[in-house]
Amino acid sequence: PKMTFSFGAEYKFAVAADWDMTVRGDYYRQSSSFQRYNNQWFDKVRAWENVNASLILDNHAIDMTVQFFMKNLLNKDTMVGFAIADENLGAVRTPYLQEPRLYGVSVTKRF
């Protein structure tokens, strides 16, 4: 691609005696690109973007972290690239798609 752009921001603050909260957001954008050297229209991948967010709770007294996250908030069905088989095999294209929206929770306890 001619251009990729990534931006992330987070804000951390105390919410209780031993708890800190961090709110984070990330944005990524990539311009269109070609998947082979000859730059033909059928080898082009459109520009695409992605947004992720997370909320992190840290307790320093018990050394534990709880993270709530969302990946691909836009939930777009986006082709981010593809593999092209050898031309002797028909130049079959195998697309790589952006993962669908994902919600999750992660708990980490250190000993």
Coordinates of all heavy atoms in Angstrom, one line a residue, residues 3 6 20-21 26 35-38 46 56-57 63 68-71 74 82-83 90 98 100 104-105:
M3 N 0.0 3.9 1.6 CA -0.2 4.6 2.9 C -0.8 3.7 3.9 O -1.8 3.0 3.6 CB -1.0 5.8 2.7 CG -1.2 6.7 3.9 SD -2.5 6.4 5.1 CE -4.0 6.3 4.1
S6 N -1.9 4.5 11.6 CA -2.3 3.9 12.8 C -2.3 4.9 13.9 O -1.3 5.7 14.0 CB -1.3 2.7 13.2 OG -1.7 2.1 14.4
D20 N -7.0 1.0 39.3 CA -6.8 2.0 38.2 C -7.6 1.5 37.0 O -7.7 0.3 36.8 CB -5.3 2.1 37.8 CG -4.5 2.8 38.8 OD1 -5.1 3.6 39.6 OD2 -3.3 2.6 38.9
M21 N -8.1 2.4 36.2 CA -8.8 2.1 35.0 C -8.1 2.7 33.8 O -7.7 3.9 33.9 CB -10.3 2.5 35.0 CG -11.1 2.2 33.8 SD -12.7 2.9 33.8 CE -13.5 1.8 35.0
D26 N -7.9 2.1 19.4 CA -6.9 2.1 18.3 C -7.6 2.1 17.0 O -8.7 1.5 16.8 CB -6.1 0.7 18.4 CG -5.2 0.7 19.7 OD1 -4.2 1.4 19.7 OD2 -5.6 -0.1 20.6
Q35 N -1.7 -7.1 -5.1 CA -1.1 -8.3 -4.5 C -0.1 -9.0 -5.4 O 0.5 -10.0 -5.0 CB -2.3 -9.3 -4.2 CG -3.3 -8.8 -3.2 CD -2.7 -8.5 -1.9 OE1 -2.2 -9.4 -1.2 NE2 -2.6 -7.2 -1.5
R36 N 0.1 -8.5 -6.6 CA 1.2 -9.0 -7.5 C 1.9 -7.8 -8.1 O 1.4 -6.7 -8.1 CB 0.6 -9.9 -8.6 CG 0.2 -11.2 -8.1 CD 0.1 -12.2 -9.2 NE -1.0 -11.8 -10.1 CZ -1.5 -12.6 -11.1 NH1 -0.9 -13.7 -11.4 NH2 -2.4 -12.2 -11.9
Y37 N 3.0 -8.1 -8.7 CA 3.9 -7.2 -9.3 C 3.3 -6.4 -10.5 O 3.7 -5.3 -10.8 CB 5.2 -7.8 -9.8 CG 5.0 -9.0 -10.7 CD1 4.9 -8.8 -12.1 CD2 4.8 -10.3 -10.2 CE1 4.7 -9.8 -13.0 CE2 4.5 -11.3 -11.1 CZ 4.5 -11.1 -12.5 OH 4.3 -12.1 -13.3
N38 N 2.3 -7.0 -11.2 CA 1.9 -6.3 -12.5 C 0.7 -5.3 -12.3 O 0.3 -4.7 -13.3 CB 1.5 -7.4 -13.5 CG 0.5 -8.4 -13.0 OD1 0.0 -8.2 -11.9 ND2 0.1 -9.4 -13.8
R46 N -9.0 -3.3 -2.0 CA -9.5 -2.0 -1.6 C -8.9 -1.5 -0.3 O -8.5 -2.3 0.5 CB -11.0 -2.0 -1.5 CG -11.7 -2.3 -2.8 CD -13.2 -2.2 -2.6 NE -13.9 -2.8 -3.7 CZ -15.1 -3.2 -3.6 NH1 -15.8 -3.1 -2.5 NH2 -15.7 -3.8 -4.7
I56 N -9.4 -1.5 30.8 CA -8.5 -2.3 31.6 C -8.6 -1.9 33.1 O -8.5 -0.7 33.4 CB -7.1 -2.2 31.2 CG1 -7.0 -2.6 29.7 CG2 -6.2 -3.1 32.0 CD1 -5.7 -2.2 29.0
L57 N -8.9 -2.8 34.0 CA -8.9 -2.5 35.4 C -7.7 -3.2 36.1 O -7.5 -4.4 35.9 CB -10.2 -3.1 36.0 CG -11.5 -2.4 35.6 CD1 -12.7 -3.2 36.0 CD2 -11.6 -1.0 36.1
D63 N -2.3 -7.6 42.7 CA -1.6 -7.9 41.4 C -2.5 -8.6 40.4 O -2.1 -9.7 39.9 CB -0.3 -8.6 41.8 CG 0.8 -8.3 40.8 OD1 0.7 -7.3 40.1 OD2 1.9 -8.9 40.9
F68 N -11.5 -5.9 29.4 CA -12.6 -6.1 28.5 C -12.2 -5.5 27.2 O -11.7 -4.3 27.1 CB -13.9 -5.3 29.1 CG -14.3 -5.8 30.4 CD1 -13.8 -5.1 31.6 CD2 -15.1 -6.8 30.6 CE1 -14.1 -5.5 32.8 CE2 -15.5 -7.3 31.9 CZ -15.0 -6.6 33.0
F69 N -12.4 -6.2 26.1 CA -12.0 -5.7 24.8 C -13.0 -6.0 23.7 O -13.8 -6.9 23.8 CB -10.6 -6.3 24.4 CG -10.5 -7.8 24.3 CD1 -10.8 -8.4 23.1 CD2 -10.2 -8.5 25.4 CE1 -10.8 -9.8 23.0 CE2 -10.1 -9.9 25.3 CZ -10.4 -10.5 24.1
M70 N -12.9 -5.2 22.6 CA -13.7 -5.4 21.4 C -12.7 -5.2 20.2 O -12.0 -4.1 20.2 CB -14.8 -4.4 21.3 CG -16.0 -4.7 22.3 SD -17.4 -3.6 22.0 CE -16.8 -2.1 22.6
K71 N -12.7 -6.1 19.4 CA -11.9 -6.0 18.1 C -12.8 -5.9 17.0 O -13.9 -6.5 16.9 CB -11.0 -7.2 18.0 CG -9.9 -7.4 19.0 CD -9.1 -8.6 18.7 CE -8.0 -8.8 19.8 NZ -7.1 -9.9 19.5
L74 N -16.2 -1.9 13.8 CA -16.9 -1.5 12.6 C -17.6 -2.8 12.0 O -18.6 -2.6 11.3 CB -16.0 -0.9 11.5 CG -15.3 0.3 12.0 CD1 -14.3 0.8 10.9 CD2 -16.2 1.4 12.3
F82 N -5.0 -11.3 -0.3 CA -5.2 -12.7 -0.8 C -3.9 -13.3 -1.3 O -3.0 -12.6 -1.7 CB -6.3 -12.7 -1.9 CG -6.1 -11.8 -3.0 CD1 -5.4 -12.1 -4.1 CD2 -6.8 -10.6 -3.0 CE1 -5.2 -11.2 -5.2 CE2 -6.7 -9.7 -4.1 CZ -5.9 -10.0 -5.2
A83 N -3.9 -14.6 -1.3 CA -2.7 -15.3 -1.9 C -3.1 -15.8 -3.3 O -4.3 -16.1 -3.5 CB -2.4 -16.6 -1.0
G90 N -3.7 -22.1 -12.4 CA -4.9 -21.3 -12.7 C -4.9 -20.0 -11.9 O -5.9 -19.3 -11.9
Q98 N -10.8 -9.9 7.2 CA -10.7 -9.4 8.5 C -11.6 -10.2 9.4 O -12.7 -10.6 9.0 CB -11.1 -7.9 8.5 CG -10.8 -7.2 9.8 CD -11.1 -5.7 9.6 OE1 -11.5 -5.2 8.6 NE2 -10.8 -4.9 10.6
P100 N -14.3 -11.2 12.1 CA -15.6 -10.5 12.5 C -15.4 -9.8 13.9 O -14.4 -10.1 14.6 CB -16.6 -11.6 12.6 CG -15.9 -12.8 12.7 CD -14.5 -12.6 12.1
G104 N -14.4 -9.8 24.3 CA -13.7 -10.7 25.2 C -13.4 -10.1 26.5 O -13.4 -8.9 26.7
V105 N -13.0 -11.0 27.4 CA -12.6 -10.6 28.8 C -11.3 -11.4 29.1 O -11.3 -12.6 28.8 CB -13.7 -10.9 29.8 CG1 -13.1 -10.6 31.2 CG2 -14.9 -10.2 29.6

